[in-house]
Amino acid sequence: MEKKLLALLCLLYVGNLFSQENQFKILNAKTTKAVEGASISGASGFVTISNSNGVFSIDSENLPGDYKISALGFEVLEINLKTSVSLQEIYLSPTSENLSEVLVRSTMIPKTLRKVPAAVNLITETDFNRTDATNVLETFNNVPGMYVNQGALNTNKINIRGIGARSQYSTNRIQAYFDGIPLTTAEGELTLDDFDQESLDRIEVIKGPTSSIYGAGLGGSINLYSKEPGKEEARLGVKTQYGSFNTQKQVYQASNTTANSALFATFSNLTSDGYRDNGNYDRKSALVNGTLKTSENGSLSYLANFTRLKAFIPSSLNEDDFLNNPETAAFTWGSAQGYESYDRGLLGGSYTHSLFDNFSNTTSIFLSFRDAYEPRPFNILKEERVSAGVRTKFNLNTQIFELPSEISFGAEYYNEWYETGTFENLYRDFPDEGSVLGDRLSNNEQDRNYANFFAQVNLEFSEKWNMEAGFNLNTTSYSLTDLYTRDDVDQTGDYGFDPVFSPRIGTSYEIGTGKNIFASVSHGFSTPTVAETLTPDGRINTNLEPETGINYEAGFKGNWLQNKLYTEVSVFSIQIEDLLVAQRVGEDQYVGLNAGKTSHNGVEFLTNYRFLVGPGISIKPYVNGAINFFEFKEFVNNDEDFSGNKLPGVPKYTMNLGVDIQSESGFEFYGNFRNVGEIPLDDANSGYTDQYSLLNFKAGYTFNVFQDLNLNLYGGVNNALDEHYAASVLTNAVGFGGSAPRSFYPGNPRNYYGGVQLNYIF
């Protein structure tokens, strides 16, 4: 009898063991807070979701086993779960889509986005996925306060809060870095359109004067970060895409990650016939980056990038051609078959070392070059540029007045050697042959020197209230050597600007859980380009001053509805003095002068909402925009008073509405509606572009061909409404020889694209 009772008890125990529920708790890896609503699925499909305490249960009979855990705003985790008598904790890492918790890397002292007392926007992988990936600058138009004039794949101008809008053909007054390596030249010119988003992890944009961190950047700063392999694995990928206008793109990628090193390499080739005549485009780009842990307290990162470009230039059109023949090229550019071509390289390395537990240093060295050839109707331009420099930054965690504090300080220096020459273009003497090199017209060498000294201190008055203050001291100088002796003008001379001191102070306060208000005041400046310092007779204008401005800003950043809704609102006022004006005195000649003051007042807003529709399907609607009140405060040029006029080249407002749909099954959909207000064409506000709306769609599906090989099929349509619009304007265009001013760059009509991507993991 006793044996029978014992056997029965054993059976009951074993049965209870197999039916036992094992409990797990899901936590945020950064905040250790419980994650509610996480979806847990196994080999057979959906299993359960976590409750308000982040807890879920699985029967012992289903363990051990491989499970997939996903939650809104977190990276998907694949994990092997086992039986246990105690509660098991599982940590999920927030993705870059959980905006408020993202650690902003481009500030001197890294801090989560919500707590940064500045207007910072992130461009993440989702933003990249919304576009056709032919031009990374397209993603900037989804950032409130930014607007990109897109004349062609290689003709783009970025402005941030209206600063840089009056530039003629390129971006200026904005600083940019790629993994800490300067991309902006020493005189403030910037080209970003030949970087491929396939090799980027994300982009951080700090809007408004950032001179206290980066020196001469009155409009703001753009920081590009190369793609970083995540898991310890090796991966190969290939992608091919075809679209309208015979646009083709091929991408090849490889990566390998171990516990102590990571290596990522990508090669891309983009070609297109273009919508307009004389619009052929061919760009090849290669990038290699990686990290290496050299010791317990040190790590090395490196980056190498090379781009070869040949892009023909259709140029701008007058109003009649813009309305009736938008596919044509400007007559002279078409006759000369004008284009730009260059080889561009970038090489750099950074070493980070923890000197003590609370004291670290990061030092970067870099070298870049550009060798360019550009036939234009009025002449042929040859350029060679080589830049080299170093940047070092120290970070110290300490206490000031018994308050937890962090101090950052350092310096940056780079030297730039630049050689330029122009030649006659004899295309008129050789009909239908395009540009033909003639006699030399000029030959100049420049030696540019640029140095920054910077410091910042962060004070934590309490868990809710923090303040940061910093400054930058900049010195800029250059020497110009005129090597052309066949004319009577000698431009040789030295030129330098007085040191510029740029302070900044900002504060952030948490008024509720996940909700912060902030305010800041910052100073910024931009130095004139060499071309702007030359007078009409070729002399150096030693009276020209840097353009300076002060930015006043206040705003709110906050989470709502259990972190499903994120909102931002910023109100700002930038007051600029010694406005630098590029006054056109010839077909390819501009003279700079300090002509007055501008006022940049505006409101920017951003809202993202994320929710789950059943297991594994997330819908993310968003809306963002900016309302601009940019005008000349005081501006008199050639005896004409433009005071009170609106700033040309900037839309009155921008608005984006969109939705992203993603599912664990592999389906994804992106829809975006953009509305852009009228844009003044010139300082006199004598004409405006029409407001326009663009509707873009993209859909894709990813599935496993077999366990380690996945396939992504996708396709999309741009400008689905087939809107006729001006994608860019040439501000203050002047007609020569009795011709009408060529102010307009037509945007592409409705166009389509589709592609396939293979990824193999081994």
Side-chain angles (χ1 to χ4, degrees), residues 336-390:
Q337 298 176 26
Y339 65 89
E340 69 168 334
S341 64
Y342 56 77
D343 290 342
R344 175 177 178 175
L346 190 66
L347 181 66
S350 297
Y351 185 71
T352 300
H353 185 69
S354 296
L355 304 172
F356 309 105
D357 290 340
N358 60 346
F359 189 44
S360 64
N361 170 259
T362 299
T363 297
S364 305
I365 57 174
F366 44 86
L367 173 72
S368 64
F369 69 88
R370 184 175 184 269
D371 186 1
Y373 182 79
E374 184 177 351
R376 296 94 61 89
F378 34 84
N379 62 34
I380 296 177
L381 174 68
K382 284 187 175 182
E383 296 177 294
E384 292 183 11
R385 174 175 57 81
V386 177
S387 302
V390 60

Side-chain angles (χ1 to χ4, degrees), residues 539-558:
R539 311 293 178 181
I540 294 179
N541 179 9
T542 58
N543 296 319
L544 208 59
E545 297 292 335
E547 188 174 284
T548 61
I550 298 180
N551 178 56
Y552 306 92
E553 185 163 7
F556 168 84
K557 304 176 186 179

Side-chain angles (χ1 to χ4, degrees), residues 7 37 49-50 209 229 310 407 409 442 486 526:
I49 62 173
S50 60
K310 184 174 183 179
I407 299 173
F409 60 93
S442 67
R486 297 177 62 182
S526 290

Side-chain angles (χ1 to χ4, degrees), residues 664-689:
E664 289 185 11
S665 66
F667 173 77
E668 56 186 4
F669 173 84
Y670 305 94
N672 174 264
F673 177 81
R674 178 184 306 149
N675 185 244
V676 178
E678 297 178 335
I679 301 175
L681 297 177
D682 54 25
D683 296 337
N685 295 171
S686 62
Y688 290 79
T689 65

